[in-house]
Amino acid sequence: ALNVAETTGKAFHVVGVDYANIKPDPRLQAAGVVLTGGVRLERLPFPDGRFDTVTSQYGIEYADQGAALDEAARVLAPGGVACMLIHHADSEITRQGVLRIEAYDAVMSDGEVLQLGRRAFATRMTNPEGAEAEASARAFRQAVLELARRTGPTPPFATVRYLVSYLNDLAMGVDRFSPLSALQCLDGFEHGNAAWRERQACQVAAALTRDGLDAFIARAMQAGLSSTGLTAAHDDRGGLIGWLAMFERA
């Protein structure tokens, strides 16, 4: 905002919202930027006609689109502009998301290795010197080696390679790690993996085909937003990154 004021004699304020819990940043606030977390796009905490411009960068397509478009129109002043960058079903971003999910599922989907890891550490905790402890540790190590054999060298496997290396550290150190701590690590690992895969799946599901975009525009018009422009957005290397849709509030 300060740079705009210096070059044009005008200043503006930016208000951002996110569903995630984010803390206000005093440095941004000093520059006229306010970020608020814990906000649903379907229920914006602003009065009618509050803003001259509404933007969304890979955001509104994740929400209930009808309710979110109604809210975008409500908080725009008459004549206000909405600019939305939306995931494209044919973009490289979406293609990579599909490939990452496929790579993950090819290696990690059955979850057996986690059960073997839990058994190895639980047995080590109750009977560290017994034959069962050694057998369960060996089974865990073998399962992790099998995951490594399934893992490919291509970029979509990058996350999976990291996950397998993490499990390998645990499997090679069953007799060195605290069993209780290792069991907690495996729980966190499982929950983190599920959240990561869900994020990838949500991004792929949110990406719009042309038919999906046409339905999105039709719903925006029902909310009172007139379509003023639509282009396929590309990055500086020419890669397709999304749909850029422009609207105006009547």
Side-chain angles (χ1 to χ4, degrees):
L2 296 177
N3 290 336
V4 172
E6 291 171 359
T7 58
T8 69
K10 299 179 181 179
F12 61 88
H13 295 283
V14 176
V15 177
V17 298
D18 198 297
Y19 185 59
N21 289 319
I22 55 178
K23 295 181 180 180
D25 189 328
R27 295 170 298 178
L28 292 176
Q29 291 177 333
V33 178
V34 178
L35 299 180
T36 303
V39 175
R40 298 182 62 88
L41 295 184
E42 300 90 345
R43 185 176 295 177
L44 297 175
F46 308 115
D48 296 356
R50 172 68 176 81
F51 300 105
D52 298 313
T53 303
V54 168
T55 67
S56 171
Q57 180 170 309
Y58 304 136
I60 196 168
E61 61 267 44
Y62 291 98
D64 178 325
Q65 292 178 12
L69 285 166
D70 287 341
E71 281 292 89
R74 181 185 66 78
V75 301
L76 265 177
V81 172
C83 176
M84 301 179 185
L85 180 62
I86 302 167
H87 279 298
H88 194 304
D90 295 327
S91 73
E92 184 63 17
I93 298 170
T94 303
R95 189 179 78 87
Q96 288 299 321
V98 171
L99 292 176
R100 284 191 292 269
I101 292 171
E102 291 176 348
Y104 178 87
D105 288 350
V107 178
M108 303 292 299
S109 61
D110 59 20
E112 181 183 7
V113 70
L114 297 180
Q115 298 308 314
L116 291 172
R118 289 188 175 100
R119 185 181 305 160
F121 285 106
T123 304
R124 183 69 60 176
M125 185 162 50
T126 58
N127 186 18
E129 303 301 328
E132 184 183 356
E134 179 53 37
S136 60
R138 184 168 57 251
F140 182 32
R141 288 193 295 267
Q142 290 173 343
V144 173
L145 289 174
E146 176 58 29
L147 295 188
R149 283 192 286 270
R150 297 182 202 168
T151 303
T154 56
F157 281 93
T159 297
V160 181
R161 287 195 296 271
Y162 169 77
L163 297 176
V164 172
S165 69
Y166 181 88
L167 289 174
N168 186 67
D169 288 343
L170 289 175
M172 295 302 117
V174 172
D175 59 346
R176 292 185 288 107
F177 291 112
S178 160
L180 182 58
S181 176
L183 288 169
Q184 291 171 342
C185 287
L186 287 171
D187 286 345
F189 180 87
E190 183 174 34
H191 295 152
N193 286 0
W196 178 86
R197 191 192 182 286
E198 181 65 15
R199 287 195 297 272
Q200 306 302 311
C202 285
Q203 186 270 298
V204 171
L208 298 182
T209 63
R210 181 54 200 254
D211 287 345
L213 184 68
D214 287 343
F216 180 88
I217 292 172
R219 184 60 182 81
M221 294 177 67
Q222 292 179 15
L225 298 172
S226 299
S227 177
T228 59
L230 173 64
T231 58
H234 296 80
D235 62 20
D236 55 7
R237 294 177 293 181
L240 177 65
I241 61 172
W243 300 105
L244 182 61
M246 302 290 295
F247 301 93
E248 183 176 334
R249 179 74 166 93

mmCIF file of all heavy atoms in Angstrom, residues 4-33:
data_model
loop_
_atom_site.group_PDB
_atom_site.id
_atom_site.type_symbol
_atom_site.label_atom_id
_atom_site.label_comp_id
_atom_site.label_asym_id
_atom_site.label_seq_id
_atom_site.Cartn_x
_atom_site.Cartn_y
_atom_site.Cartn_z
ATOM 1 N N VAL A 4 2.172 1.990 -3.546
ATOM 2 C CA VAL A 4 1.100 2.495 -4.392
ATOM 3 C C VAL A 4 0.841 3.962 -4.093
ATOM 4 O O VAL A 4 0.672 4.786 -4.987
ATOM 5 C CB VAL A 4 -0.179 1.664 -4.191
ATOM 6 C CG1 VAL A 4 -1.355 2.298 -4.905
ATOM 7 C CG2 VAL A 4 0.045 0.247 -4.700
ATOM 8 N N ALA A 5 0.818 4.304 -2.819
ATOM 9 C CA ALA A 5 0.570 5.687 -2.445
ATOM 10 C C ALA A 5 1.658 6.606 -2.977
ATOM 11 O O ALA A 5 1.391 7.721 -3.429
ATOM 12 C CB ALA A 5 0.484 5.807 -0.927
ATOM 13 N N GLU A 6 2.906 6.158 -2.942
ATOM 14 C CA GLU A 6 4.006 6.992 -3.400
ATOM 15 C C GLU A 6 3.969 7.224 -4.906
ATOM 16 O O GLU A 6 4.334 8.287 -5.389
ATOM 17 C CB GLU A 6 5.332 6.330 -3.011
ATOM 18 C CG GLU A 6 5.585 6.323 -1.497
ATOM 19 C CD GLU A 6 6.789 5.470 -1.146
ATOM 20 O OE1 GLU A 6 7.399 4.891 -2.073
ATOM 21 O OE2 GLU A 6 7.118 5.380 0.052
ATOM 22 N N THR A 7 3.527 6.245 -5.679
ATOM 23 C CA THR A 7 3.583 6.357 -7.135
ATOM 24 C C THR A 7 2.295 6.886 -7.764
ATOM 25 O O THR A 7 2.329 7.435 -8.854
ATOM 26 C CB THR A 7 3.907 4.989 -7.753
ATOM 27 O OG1 THR A 7 2.920 4.042 -7.343
ATOM 28 C CG2 THR A 7 5.290 4.509 -7.321
ATOM 29 N N THR A 8 1.167 6.692 -7.095
ATOM 30 C CA THR A 8 -0.113 7.089 -7.684
ATOM 31 C C THR A 8 -0.870 8.100 -6.851
ATOM 32 O O THR A 8 -1.860 8.656 -7.320
ATOM 33 C CB THR A 8 -1.022 5.857 -7.885
ATOM 34 O OG1 THR A 8 -1.419 5.373 -6.598
ATOM 35 C CG2 THR A 8 -0.301 4.765 -8.658
ATOM 36 N N GLY A 9 -0.426 8.340 -5.641
ATOM 37 C CA GLY A 9 -1.168 9.225 -4.755
ATOM 38 C C GLY A 9 -2.381 8.561 -4.145
ATOM 39 O O GLY A 9 -3.174 9.219 -3.464
ATOM 40 N N LYS A 10 -2.545 7.255 -4.355
ATOM 41 C CA LYS A 10 -3.682 6.517 -3.810
ATOM 42 C C LYS A 10 -3.174 5.365 -2.955
ATOM 43 O O LYS A 10 -2.097 4.834 -3.185
ATOM 44 C CB LYS A 10 -4.565 5.969 -4.933
ATOM 45 C CG LYS A 10 -5.163 7.040 -5.831
ATOM 46 C CD LYS A 10 -5.994 6.404 -6.932
ATOM 47 C CE LYS A 10 -6.575 7.480 -7.862
ATOM 48 N NZ LYS A 10 -7.370 6.870 -8.956
ATOM 49 N N ALA A 11 -3.940 5.006 -1.979
ATOM 50 C CA ALA A 11 -3.593 3.869 -1.132
ATOM 51 C C ALA A 11 -4.783 2.925 -1.077
ATOM 52 O O ALA A 11 -5.914 3.308 -1.369
ATOM 53 C CB ALA A 11 -3.235 4.334 0.279
ATOM 54 N N PHE A 12 -4.513 1.692 -0.738
ATOM 55 C CA PHE A 12 -5.597 0.741 -0.602
ATOM 56 C C PHE A 12 -5.306 -0.188 0.562
ATOM 57 O O PHE A 12 -4.166 -0.300 1.018
ATOM 58 C CB PHE A 12 -5.807 -0.065 -1.891
ATOM 59 C CG PHE A 12 -4.605 -0.888 -2.304
ATOM 60 C CD1 PHE A 12 -4.418 -2.171 -1.828
ATOM 61 C CD2 PHE A 12 -3.677 -0.371 -3.198
ATOM 62 C CE1 PHE A 12 -3.330 -2.924 -2.217
ATOM 63 C CE2 PHE A 12 -2.579 -1.118 -3.595
ATOM 64 C CZ PHE A 12 -2.404 -2.391 -3.107
ATOM 65 N N HIS A 13 -6.348 -0.834 1.051
ATOM 66 C CA HIS A 13 -6.226 -1.796 2.132
ATOM 67 C C HIS A 13 -6.578 -3.175 1.591
ATOM 68 O O HIS A 13 -7.502 -3.328 0.800
ATOM 69 C CB HIS A 13 -7.147 -1.430 3.297
ATOM 70 C CG HIS A 13 -6.787 -0.139 3.951
ATOM 71 N ND1 HIS A 13 -5.735 -0.013 4.823
ATOM 72 C CD2 HIS A 13 -7.339 1.093 3.844
ATOM 73 C CE1 HIS A 13 -5.650 1.236 5.230
ATOM 74 N NE2 HIS A 13 -6.612 1.925 4.658
ATOM 75 N N VAL A 14 -5.843 -4.159 2.029
ATOM 76 C CA VAL A 14 -6.066 -5.543 1.617
ATOM 77 C C VAL A 14 -6.528 -6.335 2.833
ATOM 78 O O VAL A 14 -5.882 -6.300 3.886
ATOM 79 C CB VAL A 14 -4.778 -6.174 1.050
ATOM 80 C CG1 VAL A 14 -5.014 -7.647 0.714
ATOM 81 C CG2 VAL A 14 -4.306 -5.408 -0.179
ATOM 82 N N VAL A 15 -7.631 -7.034 2.685
ATOM 83 C CA VAL A 15 -8.156 -7.891 3.736
ATOM 84 C C VAL A 15 -8.191 -9.314 3.186
ATOM 85 O O VAL A 15 -8.859 -9.580 2.181
ATOM 86 C CB VAL A 15 -9.567 -7.453 4.171
ATOM 87 C CG1 VAL A 15 -10.106 -8.414 5.230
ATOM 88 C CG2 VAL A 15 -9.540 -6.029 4.705
ATOM 89 N N GLY A 16 -7.463 -10.220 3.822
ATOM 90 C CA GLY A 16 -7.429 -11.607 3.381
ATOM 91 C C GLY A 16 -8.041 -12.527 4.416
ATOM 92 O O GLY A 16 -7.940 -12.283 5.618
ATOM 93 N N VAL A 17 -8.703 -13.577 3.945
ATOM 94 C CA VAL A 17 -9.276 -14.568 4.848
ATOM 95 C C VAL A 17 -8.813 -15.958 4.429
ATOM 96 O O VAL A 17 -8.512 -16.215 3.267
ATOM 97 C CB VAL A 17 -10.821 -14.514 4.860
ATOM 98 C CG1 VAL A 17 -11.303 -13.168 5.358
ATOM 99 C CG2 VAL A 17 -11.398 -14.821 3.487
ATOM 100 N N ASP A 18 -8.766 -16.850 5.402
ATOM 101 C CA ASP A 18 -8.374 -18.224 5.142
ATOM 102 C C ASP A 18 -9.102 -19.117 6.139
ATOM 103 O O ASP A 18 -9.336 -18.708 7.282
ATOM 104 C CB ASP A 18 -6.864 -18.402 5.292
ATOM 105 C CG ASP A 18 -6.354 -19.665 4.623
ATOM 106 O OD1 ASP A 18 -6.762 -20.772 5.051
ATOM 107 O OD2 ASP A 18 -5.550 -19.565 3.683
ATOM 108 N N TYR A 19 -9.453 -20.313 5.696
ATOM 109 C CA TYR A 19 -10.116 -21.246 6.605
ATOM 110 C C TYR A 19 -9.148 -21.750 7.674
ATOM 111 O O TYR A 19 -9.554 -22.075 8.786
ATOM 112 C CB TYR A 19 -10.686 -22.424 5.809
ATOM 113 C CG TYR A 19 -11.490 -23.383 6.640
ATOM 114 C CD1 TYR A 19 -12.612 -22.954 7.350
ATOM 115 C CD2 TYR A 19 -11.147 -24.729 6.712
ATOM 116 C CE1 TYR A 19 -13.350 -23.832 8.112
ATOM 117 C CE2 TYR A 19 -11.884 -25.619 7.481
ATOM 118 C CZ TYR A 19 -12.977 -25.168 8.173
ATOM 119 O OH TYR A 19 -13.714 -26.035 8.940
ATOM 120 N N ALA A 20 -7.860 -21.789 7.348
ATOM 121 C CA ALA A 20 -6.858 -22.222 8.327
ATOM 122 C C ALA A 20 -6.734 -21.185 9.438
ATOM 123 O O ALA A 20 -7.032 -20.002 9.250
ATOM 124 C CB ALA A 20 -5.511 -22.413 7.643
ATOM 125 N N ASN A 21 -6.283 -21.629 10.595
ATOM 126 C CA ASN A 21 -6.059 -20.716 11.704
ATOM 127 C C ASN A 21 -4.706 -20.038 11.526
ATOM 128 O O ASN A 21 -3.659 -20.682 11.633
ATOM 129 C CB ASN A 21 -6.091 -21.480 13.032
ATOM 130 C CG ASN A 21 -7.494 -21.928 13.386
ATOM 131 O OD1 ASN A 21 -8.452 -21.186 13.198
ATOM 132 N ND2 ASN A 21 -7.632 -23.146 13.880
ATOM 133 N N ILE A 22 -4.714 -18.771 11.201
ATOM 134 C CA ILE A 22 -3.489 -18.009 11.021
ATOM 135 C C ILE A 22 -3.495 -16.819 11.963
ATOM 136 O O ILE A 22 -4.552 -16.283 12.292
ATOM 137 C CB ILE A 22 -3.326 -17.528 9.567
ATOM 138 C CG1 ILE A 22 -4.568 -16.736 9.117
ATOM 139 C CG2 ILE A 22 -3.079 -18.703 8.635
ATOM 140 C CD1 ILE A 22 -4.452 -16.186 7.712
ATOM 141 N N LYS A 23 -2.319 -16.438 12.405
ATOM 142 C CA LYS A 23 -2.205 -15.330 13.339
ATOM 143 C C LYS A 23 -1.982 -14.014 12.597
ATOM 144 O O LYS A 23 -1.278 -13.988 11.589
ATOM 145 C CB LYS A 23 -1.040 -15.585 14.301
ATOM 146 C CG LYS A 23 -1.238 -16.794 15.207
ATOM 147 C CD LYS A 23 -0.058 -16.969 16.147
ATOM 148 C CE LYS A 23 -0.258 -18.172 17.056
ATOM 149 N NZ LYS A 23 0.892 -18.369 17.984
ATOM 150 N N PRO A 24 -2.563 -12.925 13.078
ATOM 151 C CA PRO A 24 -2.330 -11.625 12.457
ATOM 152 C C PRO A 24 -0.840 -11.280 12.471
ATOM 153 O O PRO A 24 -0.125 -11.585 13.427
ATOM 154 C CB PRO A 24 -3.144 -10.660 13.331
ATOM 155 C CG PRO A 24 -4.148 -11.522 14.021
ATOM 156 C CD PRO A 24 -3.486 -12.847 14.219
ATOM 157 N N ASP A 25 -0.376 -10.668 11.405
ATOM 158 C CA ASP A 25 1.023 -10.255 11.284
ATOM 159 C C ASP A 25 1.094 -8.729 11.393
ATOM 160 O O ASP A 25 0.628 -8.028 10.491
ATOM 161 C CB ASP A 25 1.592 -10.717 9.946
ATOM 162 C CG ASP A 25 3.095 -10.512 9.850
ATOM 163 O OD1 ASP A 25 3.593 -9.546 10.457
ATOM 164 O OD2 ASP A 25 3.760 -11.294 9.157
ATOM 165 N N PRO A 26 1.652 -8.193 12.486
ATOM 166 C CA PRO A 26 1.704 -6.734 12.656
ATOM 167 C C PRO A 26 2.417 -6.025 11.519
ATOM 168 O O PRO A 26 2.062 -4.886 11.172
ATOM 169 C CB PRO A 26 2.470 -6.569 13.982
ATOM 170 C CG PRO A 26 2.275 -7.869 14.699
ATOM 171 C CD PRO A 26 2.217 -8.916 13.634
ATOM 172 N N ARG A 27 3.405 -6.676 10.906
ATOM 173 C CA ARG A 27 4.123 -6.037 9.806
ATOM 174 C C ARG A 27 3.223 -5.841 8.603
ATOM 175 O O ARG A 27 3.284 -4.801 7.928
ATOM 176 C CB ARG A 27 5.348 -6.874 9.431
ATOM 177 C CG ARG A 27 6.409 -6.958 10.522
ATOM 178 C CD ARG A 27 7.457 -7.977 10.174
ATOM 179 N NE ARG A 27 6.861 -9.321 10.068
ATOM 180 C CZ ARG A 27 7.539 -10.410 9.740
ATOM 181 N NH1 ARG A 27 8.838 -10.322 9.455
ATOM 182 N NH2 ARG A 27 6.944 -11.581 9.679
ATOM 183 N N LEU A 28 2.384 -6.826 8.327
ATOM 184 C CA LEU A 28 1.435 -6.679 7.231
ATOM 185 C C LEU A 28 0.370 -5.640 7.565
ATOM 186 O O LEU A 28 -0.042 -4.856 6.705
ATOM 187 C CB LEU A 28 0.782 -8.024 6.923
ATOM 188 C CG LEU A 28 1.687 -9.103 6.328
ATOM 189 C CD1 LEU A 28 0.922 -10.416 6.177
ATOM 190 C CD2 LEU A 28 2.246 -8.662 4.982
ATOM 191 N N GLN A 29 -0.071 -5.649 8.810
ATOM 192 C CA GLN A 29 -1.080 -4.674 9.212
ATOM 193 C C GLN A 29 -0.565 -3.252 9.050
ATOM 194 O O GLN A 29 -1.314 -2.348 8.656
ATOM 195 C CB GLN A 29 -1.505 -4.936 10.656
ATOM 196 C CG GLN A 29 -2.302 -6.225 10.824
ATOM 197 C CD GLN A 29 -2.657 -6.512 12.275
ATOM 198 O OE1 GLN A 29 -1.962 -6.089 13.186
ATOM 199 N NE2 GLN A 29 -3.736 -7.247 12.483
ATOM 200 N N ALA A 30 0.714 -3.044 9.324
ATOM 201 C CA ALA A 30 1.304 -1.717 9.176
ATOM 202 C C ALA A 30 1.299 -1.267 7.720
ATOM 203 O O ALA A 30 1.291 -0.065 7.428
ATOM 204 C CB ALA A 30 2.731 -1.718 9.721
ATOM 205 N N ALA A 31 1.292 -2.218 6.795
ATOM 206 C CA ALA A 31 1.267 -1.902 5.363
ATOM 207 C C ALA A 31 -0.147 -1.919 4.796
ATOM 208 O O ALA A 31 -0.333 -1.862 3.586
ATOM 209 C CB ALA A 31 2.146 -2.900 4.605
ATOM 210 N N GLY A 32 -1.134 -2.007 5.674
ATOM 211 C CA GLY A 32 -2.513 -1.989 5.213
ATOM 212 C C GLY A 32 -3.045 -3.343 4.798
ATOM 213 O O GLY A 32 -4.025 -3.430 4.054
ATOM 214 N N VAL A 33 -2.417 -4.414 5.249
ATOM 215 C CA VAL A 33 -2.849 -5.773 4.906
ATOM 216 C C VAL A 33 -3.291 -6.481 6.183
ATOM 217 O O VAL A 33 -2.520 -6.583 7.141
ATOM 218 C CB VAL A 33 -1.714 -6.565 4.232
ATOM 219 C CG1 VAL A 33 -2.171 -7.995 3.925
ATOM 220 C CG2 VAL A 33 -1.246 -5.865 2.965
#
